[in-house]
């Protein structure tokens, strides 16, 4: 199924909230930073959870969906590997096959530990920034996933945030040795984990990180990357 | 400081228990599997925690210590990168610079989550396999680290092991997509994490993994690697 794209810029379907410029999906942030890393010009198309028809051409119902000419790619990991293979002359996201396979572990760690941990701290705040038409969909699907009301999920978050910070120790230990997961400069591994924090920053005023945490400093470096692509995004200055 | 090594085989100082052939250090296992991956012939020299004089030539007091001709290298991560750089024509441990940097994260994850988790489940069993002369040193240093008696550290382990298994979810999620962290074949990333399980297997009869866990199957594949190098080691058939 093809979606014609007459522009020579890539198009990204990007999750938005009630305000069209509020773009908070961690997976879409991974893709946006990967596109910036590859110096690929792209336009974003705001999309809401219930806009299933708008991306039906991709054969599934979630974003990110990337349209690159006549190529349609979805799922942030698949998009990253697509970009790496389709644009090999541009800066590498993985720096080799060994980097690609090891980064896959960082992706599963981020999805389980970081996204999982953050969602239990901010999910009611996410509900608060959603477009009106998405709210019941979001509450129903997430409450089913958690087996609890969203309000119960975030209960006692001030007490639990220390445990979340502790769970970041493997990242912190790497950052004690080098400025990025990618070494001296960021790679896709950094964008994977950063996407989780950018999701929180765009949707929630809750302070996840202490300002003396090396993870805070790393996040700030990534906020400033690509002329402040992430920093300029509508969010909360935490 | 040089330790002459007239043999053309590498020498590895390898932590041993009361039985000289009980070799349980997770860090030494990482190195032994890295050496096997590189098809480098090596001899091991049994070493106990209190044999500080025997490795004083390395300028520090912990194993693994690798002696390669007139080169002395210690710390499992440093040894892995040394082997990769010194033997570039042999099978790669990282498959490129991107692999090396991303694997560093897997190393910190294994050290904190996997080793940390396993130690809280088996540390009294480790005490039980130690050479008599190491026991008070081990108890004192570890109780100081944990701030509790070793018996208190492992209390309720049957109840806590489910949480440990849950903490392996990022590994399990990768193994749902590919047979090894390294992809179709193991790389150093696999040996890092496997070393933690081999540490447990050599020192403790406690069952860490359920037999229907993909992590169990992955561990079994690595037990069989290199003609059963790890499987043949003195340990517990769990």
């Amino acid at each position: 199924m093809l979606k014609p794209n007459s522009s020579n810029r890539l198009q990204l379907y990007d999750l938005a909230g009630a305000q069209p410029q509020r773009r908070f999906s961690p997976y879409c942030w991974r893709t946006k930073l990967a596109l910036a890393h590859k110096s690929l010009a792209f336009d974003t198309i705001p999309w809401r959870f219930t806009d299933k028809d708008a991306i039906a051409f991709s054969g599934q119902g979630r974003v990110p969906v990337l349209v690159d000419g006549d190529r349609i790619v979805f799922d942030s990991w698949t998009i990253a590997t697509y970009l790496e293979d389709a644009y090999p002359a541009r800066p590498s996201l993985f720096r080799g096959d060994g980097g690609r396979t090891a980064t896959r572990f960082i992706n599963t760690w981020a999805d389980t530990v970081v996204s999982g941990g953050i969602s239990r701290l901010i999910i009611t705040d996410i509900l608060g920034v959603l477009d009106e038409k998405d709210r019941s969909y979001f509450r129903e699907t997430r409450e089913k996933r958690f087996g609890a009301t969203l309000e119960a999920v975030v209960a006692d978050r001030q007490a639990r945030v220390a445990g979340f910070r502790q769970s970041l120790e493997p990242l912190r230990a790497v950052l004690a040795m080098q400025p990025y997961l990618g070494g001296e400069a960021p790679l896709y591994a950094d964008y994977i984990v950063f996407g989780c924090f950018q999701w929180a920053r765009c949707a929630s005023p809750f302070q996840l990180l202490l300002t003396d945490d090396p993870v805070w400093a790393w996040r700030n470096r990534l906020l400033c990357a690509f002329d402040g692509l992430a920093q300029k995004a509508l969010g909360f200055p935490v």
Side-chain angles (χ1 to χ4, degrees), chain A:
Chain A
M1 284 178 288
L2 300 182
K3 172 94 170 179
N5 175 6
S6 57
S7 147
N8 55 13
R9 292 167 65 90
L10 286 77
Q11 294 184 331
L12 178 69
Y13 287 79
D14 191 16
L15 183 64
Q19 293 164 280
Q21 69 272 41
R22 188 177 305 276
R23 306 296 178 86
F24 56 96
S25 161
Y27 310 106
C28 292
W29 274 108
R30 293 175 186 176
T31 297
K32 285 180 275 189
L33 289 159
L35 288 163
H37 185 99
K38 288 277 186 193
S39 295
L40 291 165
F42 64 98
D43 296 312
T44 61
I45 301 163
W47 179 89
R48 274 80 181 194
F49 284 112
T50 49
D51 290 342
K52 300 299 186 192
D53 287 352
I55 58 169
F57 68 88
S58 71
Q60 54 87 58
R62 300 201 292 183
V63 293
V65 171
L66 182 72
V67 181
D68 182 9
D70 60 1
R71 294 292 305 268
I72 295 161
V73 195
F74 60 88
D75 175 78
S76 61
W77 178 261
T78 305
I79 292 170
T81 60
Y82 165 77
L83 293 174
E84 186 74 347
D85 295 336
Y87 298 95
R90 298 193 176 229
S92 174
L93 291 165
F94 301 112
R95 293 179 65 211
D97 283 350
R100 187 183 301 211
T101 189
T103 300
R104 192 151 213 182
F105 176 83
I106 297 176
N107 204 71
T108 62
W109 178 77
D111 286 351
T112 52
V113 174
V114 188
S115 285
I118 291 176
S119 69
R120 289 174 178 80
L121 296 167
I122 68 162
I123 201 157
T124 50
D125 296 328
I126 297 171
L127 185 71
V129 300
L130 292 184
D131 193 275
E132 185 64 36
K133 68 180 181 180
D134 276 359
R135 292 188 188 181
S136 62
Y137 167 85
F138 186 81
R139 179 180 285 279
E140 283 168 26
T141 55
R142 271 54 180 177
E143 292 190 344
K144 185 173 178 187
R145 188 181 300 171
F146 283 108
T149 65
L150 301 187
E151 291 72 16
V153 168
V154 299
D156 295 323
R157 66 180 179 178
Q158 287 293 355
R160 290 185 294 102
V161 68
F164 169 73
R165 291 171 186 154
Q166 174 63 30
S167 77
L168 303 174
E169 191 54 32
L171 171 60
R172 199 172 288 122
V174 170
L175 297 177
M177 299 182 286
Q178 56 193 47
Y180 297 99
L181 289 171
E184 293 301 314
L187 290 176
Y188 189 64
D190 292 278
Y191 310 143
I192 290 169
V193 184
F194 175 80
C196 303
F197 288 100
Q198 183 68 355
W199 168 47
R201 187 176 190 272
C202 290
S204 171
F206 185 70
Q207 187 162 355
L208 293 172
L209 297 170
L210 297 175
T211 56
D212 61 354
D213 188 338
V215 178
W216 169 276
W218 162 85
R219 191 198 67 144
N220 279 353
R221 291 193 291 276
L222 287 163
L223 280 168
C224 296
F226 310 119
D227 293 326
L229 174 64
Q231 193 165 42
K232 291 173 192 162
L234 179 63
F236 295 87
V238 286

